[in-house]
Amino acid sequence: MRTIRWLTERVPDTDNTPLVIQHWIATSQEEVWRAWTTPELFHQWFSPEGLHIPLDSVVIEPWVGGRFECTMVFDETGQRNENKGFLVELEEPRLIVGGELNVGDQITTGFRSVQSFTPDNGGTLIRVEQHGLPPELVGNTQVHEAFRSSYRKLGRLLGVATEERECK
């Protein structure tokens, strides 16, 4: 197991409550890690139902300080939503922590996304914590469902079962 860390200032939350999503998938940590860090897989599942990610928009540099970028495109309208970030901490195959870049590639200190992959009951529990989001997104059931639809897409891609888990 390899742990790499890029030390940064603590990211302040807009309030103390992160968005938390937990979803179980019937595969190994290593397969989940591969799906998160391989552009050819990532673009097929990471967007919610009704959106897609063109492969040519995905940049995943799997090292601390590396870029983590993709563009989500709404299927009905073609509207594009660019996502640009950088990797703060990696612990293969257990942990991916990212921060966000804003226009001009300046680091935004208000957002952090933590993805952890823990062995659980013959599969892997995926836990996402996003810090620094506005409170109206944290409790929004549509945001939760968007994440969950992505994990169902991941299960279909890998040909395995998935289950929603309580977000605590």
Side-chain angles (χ1 to χ4, degrees), residues 136-154:
E136 61 270 14
L137 291 180
V138 172
N140 186 317
T141 57
Q142 290 178 326
V143 172
H144 286 236
E145 177 51 30
F147 273 95
R148 294 197 183 287
S149 74
S150 294
Y151 296 126
R152 289 190 296 270
K153 284 170 73 172
L154 176 58

PDB file of all heavy atoms in Angstrom, residues 136-154:
ATOM      1  N   GLU A 136     -27.687  24.142   1.212  1.00  0.00           N
ATOM      2  CA  GLU A 136     -28.829  23.691   0.403  1.00  0.00           C
ATOM      3  C   GLU A 136     -28.487  22.496  -0.489  1.00  0.00           C
ATOM      4  O   GLU A 136     -29.376  21.772  -0.932  1.00  0.00           O
ATOM      5  CB  GLU A 136     -29.410  24.835  -0.433  1.00  0.00           C
ATOM      6  CG  GLU A 136     -28.467  25.445  -1.428  1.00  0.00           C
ATOM      7  CD  GLU A 136     -27.645  26.609  -0.895  1.00  0.00           C
ATOM      8  OE1 GLU A 136     -27.589  26.823   0.332  1.00  0.00           O
ATOM      9  OE2 GLU A 136     -27.048  27.323  -1.723  1.00  0.00           O
ATOM     10  N   LEU A 137     -27.210  22.248  -0.756  1.00  0.00           N
ATOM     11  CA  LEU A 137     -26.815  21.061  -1.513  1.00  0.00           C
ATOM     12  C   LEU A 137     -26.644  19.846  -0.616  1.00  0.00           C
ATOM     13  O   LEU A 137     -26.917  18.725  -1.029  1.00  0.00           O
ATOM     14  CB  LEU A 137     -25.514  21.318  -2.280  1.00  0.00           C
ATOM     15  CG  LEU A 137     -25.587  22.289  -3.440  1.00  0.00           C
ATOM     16  CD1 LEU A 137     -24.225  22.431  -4.096  1.00  0.00           C
ATOM     17  CD2 LEU A 137     -26.620  21.857  -4.454  1.00  0.00           C
ATOM     18  N   VAL A 138     -26.191  20.078   0.605  1.00  0.00           N
ATOM     19  CA  VAL A 138     -25.886  18.974   1.524  1.00  0.00           C
ATOM     20  C   VAL A 138     -27.114  18.101   1.779  1.00  0.00           C
ATOM     21  O   VAL A 138     -27.039  16.877   1.723  1.00  0.00           O
ATOM     22  CB  VAL A 138     -25.283  19.506   2.847  1.00  0.00           C
ATOM     23  CG1 VAL A 138     -25.151  18.392   3.870  1.00  0.00           C
ATOM     24  CG2 VAL A 138     -23.934  20.163   2.576  1.00  0.00           C
ATOM     25  N   GLY A 139     -28.254  18.697   2.033  1.00  0.00           N
ATOM     26  CA  GLY A 139     -29.456  17.931   2.336  1.00  0.00           C
ATOM     27  C   GLY A 139     -30.376  17.700   1.151  1.00  0.00           C
ATOM     28  O   GLY A 139     -31.463  17.153   1.307  1.00  0.00           O
ATOM     29  N   ASN A 140     -29.934  18.058  -0.046  1.00  0.00           N
ATOM     30  CA  ASN A 140     -30.778  17.970  -1.233  1.00  0.00           C
ATOM     31  C   ASN A 140     -30.870  16.520  -1.718  1.00  0.00           C
ATOM     32  O   ASN A 140     -29.870  15.921  -2.112  1.00  0.00           O
ATOM     33  CB  ASN A 140     -30.194  18.868  -2.325  1.00  0.00           C
ATOM     34  CG  ASN A 140     -31.061  18.958  -3.548  1.00  0.00           C
ATOM     35  OD1 ASN A 140     -31.588  17.976  -4.023  1.00  0.00           O
ATOM     36  ND2 ASN A 140     -31.172  20.169  -4.065  1.00  0.00           N
ATOM     37  N   THR A 141     -32.070  15.953  -1.716  1.00  0.00           N
ATOM     38  CA  THR A 141     -32.253  14.559  -2.116  1.00  0.00           C
ATOM     39  C   THR A 141     -31.915  14.337  -3.594  1.00  0.00           C
ATOM     40  O   THR A 141     -31.497  13.233  -3.962  1.00  0.00           O
ATOM     41  CB  THR A 141     -33.693  14.080  -1.831  1.00  0.00           C
ATOM     42  OG1 THR A 141     -34.607  14.936  -2.513  1.00  0.00           O
ATOM     43  CG2 THR A 141     -33.989  14.084  -0.346  1.00  0.00           C
ATOM     44  N   GLN A 142     -32.057  15.359  -4.440  1.00  0.00           N
ATOM     45  CA  GLN A 142     -31.686  15.212  -5.849  1.00  0.00           C
ATOM     46  C   GLN A 142     -30.176  15.057  -6.008  1.00  0.00           C
ATOM     47  O   GLN A 142     -29.715  14.315  -6.881  1.00  0.00           O
ATOM     48  CB  GLN A 142     -32.184  16.402  -6.660  1.00  0.00           C
ATOM     49  CG  GLN A 142     -33.692  16.415  -6.816  1.00  0.00           C
ATOM     50  CD  GLN A 142     -34.172  17.635  -7.582  1.00  0.00           C
ATOM     51  OE1 GLN A 142     -33.593  18.716  -7.474  1.00  0.00           O
ATOM     52  NE2 GLN A 142     -35.235  17.458  -8.345  1.00  0.00           N
ATOM     53  N   VAL A 143     -29.412  15.748  -5.180  1.00  0.00           N
ATOM     54  CA  VAL A 143     -27.954  15.612  -5.216  1.00  0.00           C
ATOM     55  C   VAL A 143     -27.570  14.196  -4.776  1.00  0.00           C
ATOM     56  O   VAL A 143     -26.735  13.538  -5.409  1.00  0.00           O
ATOM     57  CB  VAL A 143     -27.273  16.675  -4.320  1.00  0.00           C
ATOM     58  CG1 VAL A 143     -25.778  16.410  -4.193  1.00  0.00           C
ATOM     59  CG2 VAL A 143     -27.528  18.069  -4.886  1.00  0.00           C
ATOM     60  N   HIS A 144     -28.202  13.707  -3.715  1.00  0.00           N
ATOM     61  CA  HIS A 144     -27.928  12.347  -3.246  1.00  0.00           C
ATOM     62  C   HIS A 144     -28.258  11.332  -4.342  1.00  0.00           C
ATOM     63  O   HIS A 144     -27.484  10.404  -4.597  1.00  0.00           O
ATOM     64  CB  HIS A 144     -28.737  12.043  -1.982  1.00  0.00           C
ATOM     65  CG  HIS A 144     -28.212  12.728  -0.766  1.00  0.00           C
ATOM     66  ND1 HIS A 144     -27.855  12.047   0.367  1.00  0.00           N
ATOM     67  CD2 HIS A 144     -27.974  14.039  -0.499  1.00  0.00           C
ATOM     68  CE1 HIS A 144     -27.424  12.903   1.281  1.00  0.00           C
ATOM     69  NE2 HIS A 144     -27.498  14.115   0.773  1.00  0.00           N
ATOM     70  N   GLU A 145     -29.407  11.500  -4.981  1.00  0.00           N
ATOM     71  CA  GLU A 145     -29.815  10.566  -6.039  1.00  0.00           C
ATOM     72  C   GLU A 145     -28.867  10.631  -7.233  1.00  0.00           C
ATOM     73  O   GLU A 145     -28.595   9.608  -7.878  1.00  0.00           O
ATOM     74  CB  GLU A 145     -31.249  10.838  -6.490  1.00  0.00           C
ATOM     75  CG  GLU A 145     -31.721   9.962  -7.626  1.00  0.00           C
ATOM     76  CD  GLU A 145     -31.521   8.461  -7.438  1.00  0.00           C
ATOM     77  OE1 GLU A 145     -31.543   7.970  -6.274  1.00  0.00           O
ATOM     78  OE2 GLU A 145     -31.314   7.752  -8.444  1.00  0.00           O
ATOM     79  N   ALA A 146     -28.336  11.795  -7.549  1.00  0.00           N
ATOM     80  CA  ALA A 146     -27.377  11.913  -8.649  1.00  0.00           C
ATOM     81  C   ALA A 146     -26.143  11.055  -8.369  1.00  0.00           C
ATOM     82  O   ALA A 146     -25.674  10.314  -9.237  1.00  0.00           O
ATOM     83  CB  ALA A 146     -26.985  13.379  -8.851  1.00  0.00           C
ATOM     84  N   PHE A 147     -25.613  11.137  -7.144  1.00  0.00           N
ATOM     85  CA  PHE A 147     -24.483  10.283  -6.770  1.00  0.00           C
ATOM     86  C   PHE A 147     -24.857   8.813  -6.895  1.00  0.00           C
ATOM     87  O   PHE A 147     -24.126   8.015  -7.466  1.00  0.00           O
ATOM     88  CB  PHE A 147     -24.033  10.562  -5.333  1.00  0.00           C
ATOM     89  CG  PHE A 147     -23.031  11.662  -5.212  1.00  0.00           C
ATOM     90  CD1 PHE A 147     -23.435  12.953  -4.923  1.00  0.00           C
ATOM     91  CD2 PHE A 147     -21.680  11.413  -5.363  1.00  0.00           C
ATOM     92  CE1 PHE A 147     -22.517  13.982  -4.789  1.00  0.00           C
ATOM     93  CE2 PHE A 147     -20.744  12.426  -5.237  1.00  0.00           C
ATOM     94  CZ  PHE A 147     -21.167  13.723  -4.957  1.00  0.00           C
ATOM     95  N   ARG A 148     -26.003   8.456  -6.339  1.00  0.00           N
ATOM     96  CA  ARG A 148     -26.414   7.052  -6.333  1.00  0.00           C
ATOM     97  C   ARG A 148     -26.598   6.510  -7.752  1.00  0.00           C
ATOM     98  O   ARG A 148     -26.256   5.364  -8.028  1.00  0.00           O
ATOM     99  CB  ARG A 148     -27.678   6.877  -5.512  1.00  0.00           C
ATOM    100  CG  ARG A 148     -27.407   7.177  -4.034  1.00  0.00           C
ATOM    101  CD  ARG A 148     -28.497   6.637  -3.163  1.00  0.00           C
ATOM    102  NE  ARG A 148     -28.302   6.970  -1.775  1.00  0.00           N
ATOM    103  CZ  ARG A 148     -27.394   6.431  -0.971  1.00  0.00           C
ATOM    104  NH1 ARG A 148     -26.553   5.554  -1.433  1.00  0.00           N
ATOM    105  NH2 ARG A 148     -27.326   6.772   0.296  1.00  0.00           N
ATOM    106  N   SER A 149     -27.121   7.334  -8.658  1.00  0.00           N
ATOM    107  CA  SER A 149     -27.288   6.861 -10.031  1.00  0.00           C
ATOM    108  C   SER A 149     -25.930   6.590 -10.677  1.00  0.00           C
ATOM    109  O   SER A 149     -25.792   5.663 -11.477  1.00  0.00           O
ATOM    110  CB  SER A 149     -28.124   7.840 -10.856  1.00  0.00           C
ATOM    111  OG  SER A 149     -27.416   8.999 -11.197  1.00  0.00           O
ATOM    112  N   SER A 150     -24.926   7.369 -10.311  1.00  0.00           N
ATOM    113  CA  SER A 150     -23.569   7.115 -10.812  1.00  0.00           C
ATOM    114  C   SER A 150     -23.058   5.765 -10.324  1.00  0.00           C
ATOM    115  O   SER A 150     -22.451   5.007 -11.090  1.00  0.00           O
ATOM    116  CB  SER A 150     -22.611   8.221 -10.358  1.00  0.00           C
ATOM    117  OG  SER A 150     -22.943   9.447 -10.946  1.00  0.00           O
ATOM    118  N   TYR A 151     -23.297   5.454  -9.057  1.00  0.00           N
ATOM    119  CA  TYR A 151     -22.815   4.175  -8.518  1.00  0.00           C
ATOM    120  C   TYR A 151     -23.575   2.995  -9.112  1.00  0.00           C
ATOM    121  O   TYR A 151     -22.997   1.920  -9.312  1.00  0.00           O
ATOM    122  CB  TYR A 151     -22.863   4.172  -6.993  1.00  0.00           C
ATOM    123  CG  TYR A 151     -21.917   5.209  -6.437  1.00  0.00           C
ATOM    124  CD1 TYR A 151     -22.344   6.171  -5.549  1.00  0.00           C
ATOM    125  CD2 TYR A 151     -20.600   5.258  -6.876  1.00  0.00           C
ATOM    126  CE1 TYR A 151     -21.479   7.145  -5.081  1.00  0.00           C
ATOM    127  CE2 TYR A 151     -19.731   6.227  -6.429  1.00  0.00           C
ATOM    128  CZ  TYR A 151     -20.176   7.169  -5.528  1.00  0.00           C
ATOM    129  OH  TYR A 151     -19.322   8.137  -5.086  1.00  0.00           O
ATOM    130  N   ARG A 152     -24.855   3.186  -9.455  1.00  0.00           N
ATOM    131  CA  ARG A 152     -25.574   2.124 -10.170  1.00  0.00           C
ATOM    132  C   ARG A 152     -24.969   1.926 -11.562  1.00  0.00           C
ATOM    133  O   ARG A 152     -24.834   0.793 -12.039  1.00  0.00           O
ATOM    134  CB  ARG A 152     -27.063   2.452 -10.248  1.00  0.00           C
ATOM    135  CG  ARG A 152     -27.763   2.339  -8.890  1.00  0.00           C
ATOM    136  CD  ARG A 152     -29.275   2.418  -9.009  1.00  0.00           C
ATOM    137  NE  ARG A 152     -29.750   3.695  -9.510  1.00  0.00           N
ATOM    138  CZ  ARG A 152     -30.064   4.744  -8.738  1.00  0.00           C
ATOM    139  NH1 ARG A 152     -29.948   4.673  -7.416  1.00  0.00           N
ATOM    140  NH2 ARG A 152     -30.507   5.855  -9.284  1.00  0.00           N
ATOM    141  N   LYS A 153     -24.572   3.032 -12.224  1.00  0.00           N
ATOM    142  CA  LYS A 153     -23.895   2.919 -13.522  1.00  0.00           C
ATOM    143  C   LYS A 153     -22.572   2.165 -13.376  1.00  0.00           C
ATOM    144  O   LYS A 153     -22.228   1.338 -14.227  1.00  0.00           O
ATOM    145  CB  LYS A 153     -23.631   4.314 -14.116  1.00  0.00           C
ATOM    146  CG  LYS A 153     -24.859   4.981 -14.694  1.00  0.00           C
ATOM    147  CD  LYS A 153     -24.643   6.434 -15.060  1.00  0.00           C
ATOM    148  CE  LYS A 153     -23.812   6.680 -16.256  1.00  0.00           C
ATOM    149  NZ  LYS A 153     -23.799   8.119 -16.647  1.00  0.00           N
ATOM    150  N   LEU A 154     -21.847   2.427 -12.290  1.00  0.00           N
ATOM    151  CA  LEU A 154     -20.593   1.717 -12.042  1.00  0.00           C
ATOM    152  C   LEU A 154     -20.853   0.214 -11.895  1.00  0.00           C
ATOM    153  O   LEU A 154     -20.127  -0.608 -12.461  1.00  0.00           O
ATOM    154  CB  LEU A 154     -19.895   2.268 -10.796  1.00  0.00           C
ATOM    155  CG  LEU A 154     -18.618   1.552 -10.363  1.00  0.00           C
ATOM    156  CD1 LEU A 154     -17.565   1.560 -11.466  1.00  0.00           C
ATOM    157  CD2 LEU A 154     -18.074   2.193  -9.089  1.00  0.00           C
TER     158      LEU A 154
END
